Amino acid sequence: MQKNMADMRRTVQETAQYLEGQYTWSHPDVHRLHGSATSVSIIGQLYGSLVDPNTVWDDLSHKTAEAEVRASAMCAELVGYDPDKALGLFTFGGTGTTLYGIKIGAEKAQPGLFNDGLRQPMRVFASDVAHYAKLSSTAWLGLGSQAAVSVPTTEDNAIDVQALEKSLRSAIAKGERIAAIVVTMGSTDAFGIDDIEAVHALRLKLVQEYKLDYVPHLHADAVIGWAYSVFNDYDFAQNPLEIPDAALNSLKLVRERLRHLSLADSLGIDFHKSGYTPYASSLFLARDAQMLSPIRRDKVAMPYLFQFGEYDPGIYTLECSRSGGPVLAALSNLILLGKDGFRGMLSHCLQMSELMRKKARELPWLTVLNADNHGSVVVIRVYPDNVEADSSYRIERSDAAQKATLQAHNDFNQAVYMRTREMAESGESPVFVQTNRYRDTPYGMPIVGIKFFTLSVFTDPESIDRALDALRKAREYVQRQNALASKN
Ligand SMILES: Cc1ncc(COP(=O)(O)O)c(C=O)c1O
């Protein structure tokens, strides 16, 4: 049967129906961990579909291969790596970047692993608020998800370096090898930033003290935080972009930790988070290309590829086919925005978050959970009438005798959040996220929070008012429902 234009039009319309209801990421009222993609990055992604380069090898990607090298070098320079030595590979998501980091570390911990398979237990150390990518990676790499050691965090959601030291010593004493220490540079919920400088120094101390025959790999999960590297050389004193004080102070604090990012042996960057591209555009960056040698496949295994040409990343990559779209999307933003463009966008979002924190602090029925963090995310916990939010939270999170109260308030927050979702369906509420476990209490209970991750550059003060107002209305609704239920 012959297909004609009408068939094509119908098909396009039919598939378009599947887009209905999808969030408009650039909308001022969407507060989720995905930035609004710039037009140029969408076009970059589209080039990937139209021309369809495959970055496995330059025979299939031609000059898109160069784009990958260029984007990687730009990012290397941004974070403080030597662009001539560093090597970047775009991969399937932030999870992929962590997978690469741990894989390379595991090869250091057991040379020959790539061909021989695992001969001894290995551990991966990351904080208890690190993304579950650490679990996916250890599980999929065959180390077992139990190989991931969860290290407690301090109140600012950063890894507790003393606790890390204790865990590392215990593993070394048992003869376990360390595949990687993964620091989180911007955690998923709270934007906690690990003290990479201290972790790096700790690693050196332990290598020397125990005379380890390898240096455990230090990987930075910077998929959210990387973009703040644009402030490494910002002139905070002159403040040429006239960033308002509150946001400027937060940025200074963020920079304190992020400026040491280059201490990581490898790191992950997500352009689809704080880099304003469409999903998924993730870059794994190794400080030194040599680190990838242990994961080189023998060319004999790939007789159909790599007979000639100058760029053959497919020799190392997990994937065979890799679209050039994410590379071109990322490069487009790096070129278009430059440091000042990113600074403007990120500082705007941070400004909005600061405004939300300020307004939230004035409301007695909620408390801000991540008060010690400084990214563009605010995690809120709401309370019913007659409960003083700040003090109630302080007590229930530290006193195990308050377990039932904490649970009741967890349920309350879940109900309020679900109500905002219902309201959002009819346009009465902005869109935000619930976290089932902002963090655990010291007595092991999860703390539920409501999270506003502001990454849309169109979010304005009115959007912040709308968000808090929707929360207020949802809370009142749930209280009314609860009152009715207790009468019946
Ligand atoms: C800190 C962190 N690391 C890794 C990931 C995983 O990224 P992806 O969803 O792109 O695989 C996320 C996702 O939210 C994250 O927040």
Side-chain angles (χ1 to χ4, degrees):
M1 199 179 74
Q2 213 176 357
K3 297 286 171 192
N4 56 27
M5 276 304 283
D7 291 324
M8 285 168 63
R9 199 168 297 125
R10 245 195 322 277
T11 307
V12 169
Q13 281 165 355
E14 190 177 332
T15 47
Q17 286 170 16
Y18 292 98
L19 305 179
E20 266 174 32
Q22 177 63 45
Y23 299 121
T24 304
W25 298 110
S26 54
H27 195 284
D29 288 343
V30 174
H31 301 267
R32 302 197 71 151
L33 180 45
H34 180 49
S36 42
T38 61
S39 318
V40 295
S41 72
I42 294 169
I43 293 169
Q45 182 85 291
L46 212 57
Y47 285 159
S49 305
L50 293 174
V51 180
D52 219 7
N54 177 353
T55 51
V56 61
W57 174 30
D58 55 2
D59 185 44
L60 295 172
S61 56
H62 290 253
K63 287 188 77 175
T64 308
E66 207 177 302
E68 181 167 48
V69 174
R70 185 172 170 201
S72 302
M74 287 169 96
C75 289
E77 184 142 19
L78 181 67
V79 301
Y81 284 170
D82 176 349
D84 290 331
K85 280 196 175 161
L87 182 107
L89 297 167
F90 278 78
T91 186
F92 59 81
T95 302
T97 64
T98 301
L99 185 93
Y100 270 97
I102 296 176
K103 177 65 188 153
I104 286 175
E107 295 292 331
K108 279 194 214 167
Q110 186 203 305
L113 171 68
F114 197 69
N115 292 317
D116 302 344
L118 199 63
R119 281 197 304 262
Q120 67 233 90
M122 277 191 205
R123 297 277 176 213
V124 170
F125 295 82
S127 86
D128 59 7
V129 299
H131 190 268
Y132 72 85
K134 65 183 176 187
L135 300 175
S136 310
S137 302
T138 46
W140 283 71
L141 287 172
L143 310 182
S145 59
Q146 291 189 359
V149 179
S150 200
V151 182
T153 38
T154 43
E155 277 308 305
D156 60 355
N157 295 294
I159 199 163
D160 179 336
V161 181
Q162 282 179 359
L164 174 65
E165 176 163 358
K166 216 167 134 200
S167 298
L168 287 169
R169 283 185 186 282
S170 151
I172 296 169
K174 280 189 250 166
E176 291 168 347
R177 309 284 282 185
I178 299 161
I181 305 167
V182 178
V183 287
T184 302
M185 306 302 277
S187 64
T188 313
D189 278 342
F191 201 73
I193 308 177
D194 291 348
D195 185 349
I196 187 172
E197 201 184 10
V199 174
H200 183 265
L202 170 63
R203 174 181 71 164
L204 183 67
K205 182 171 87 174
L206 297 182
V207 168
Q208 288 172 346
E209 192 181 317
Y210 290 96
K211 298 191 174 41
L212 298 182
D213 57 1
Y214 69 109
V215 180
H217 192 77
L218 179 55
H219 177 79
D221 178 351
V223 299
I224 303 179
W226 70 275
Y228 289 86
S229 304
V230 296
F231 289 99
N232 283 351
D233 57 356
Y234 184 65
D235 185 344
F236 280 86
Q238 294 295 322
N239 189 18
L241 294 180
E242 298 179 6
I243 300 168
D245 281 350
L248 195 71
N249 288 336
S250 288
L251 286 168
K252 269 190 213 162
L253 293 167
V254 168
R255 180 177 70 167
E256 261 327 288
R257 293 244 157 124
L258 268 162
R259 71 194 172 97
H260 301 294
L261 188 52
S262 60
L263 291 174
D265 298 317
S266 62
L267 55 95
I269 286 178
D270 272 359
F271 287 92
H272 58 273
K273 295 200 170 73
S274 32
Y276 298 99
T277 70
Y279 284 118
S281 176
S282 299
L283 176 67
F284 168 73
L285 203 56
R287 194 183 47 226
D288 189 334
Q290 297 300 327
M291 280 177 204
L292 281 100
S293 301
I295 62 166
R296 267 183 89 97
R297 268 180 305 267
D298 192 338
K299 276 193 184 178
V300 176
M302 301 168 284
Y304 15 76
L305 298 167
F306 314 130
Q307 298 86 353
F308 52 87
E310 289 173 26
Y311 187 64
D312 44 17
I315 288 183
Y316 316 97
T317 55
L318 170 62
E319 306 97 322
C320 178
S321 299
R322 286 187 307 138
S323 164
V327 175
L328 296 167
L331 183 62
S332 304
N333 274 357
L334 291 169
I335 296 170
L336 173 79
L337 299 171
K339 280 189 191 168
D340 268 349
F342 273 112
R343 285 168 180 160
M345 291 166 84
L346 294 170
S347 65
H348 170 80
C349 293
L350 215 111
Q351 232 173 290
M352 292 304 107
S353 293
E354 286 300 337
L355 183 64
M356 176 168 280
R357 281 167 195 273
K358 182 167 173 280
K359 293 196 168 198
R361 274 197 294 268
E362 288 159 9
L363 302 171
W365 46 270
L366 60 76
T367 191
V368 172
L369 299 183
N370 65 333
D372 297 327
N373 297 111
H374 305 282
S376 66
V377 58
V378 186
V379 192
I380 279 174
R381 187 165 158 93
V382 295
Y383 284 84
D385 282 349
N386 307 321
V387 178
E388 212 285 306
D390 292 337
S391 57
S392 180
Y393 175 59
R394 253 197 316 278
I395 296 166
E396 70 196 20
R397 66 180 244 257
S398 51
D399 181 358
Q402 298 296 316
K403 192 172 167 179
T405 314
L406 180 106
Q407 183 59 55
H409 291 153
N410 277 354
D411 295 344
F412 185 69
N413 274 268
Q414 266 160 4
V416 170
Y417 174 70
M418 288 316 288
R419 177 61 188 159
T420 65
R421 287 202 58 105
E422 283 164 16
M423 291 162 63
E425 294 279 317
S426 52
E428 292 171 77
S429 170
V431 173
F432 26 85
V433 195
Q434 174 188 312
T435 174
N436 290 346
R437 188 175 69 90
Y438 157 71
R439 53 186 288 125
D440 281 333
T441 64
Y443 57 91
M445 285 280 287
I447 300 167
V448 172
I450 299 174
K451 175 167 102 172
F452 299 78
F453 214 122
T454 302
L455 274 175
S456 167
V457 291
F458 299 105
T459 295
D460 55 14
E462 287 76 44
S463 332
I464 301 300
D465 288 340
R466 280 196 293 277
L468 289 172
D469 199 43
L471 210 52
R472 178 184 63 75
K473 283 186 186 145
R475 172 185 166 274
E476 283 167 7
Y477 173 88
V478 172
Q479 290 202 127
R480 278 197 304 276
Q481 295 298 105
N482 287 351
L484 275 174
S486 63
K487 264 194 206 149
N488 295 336

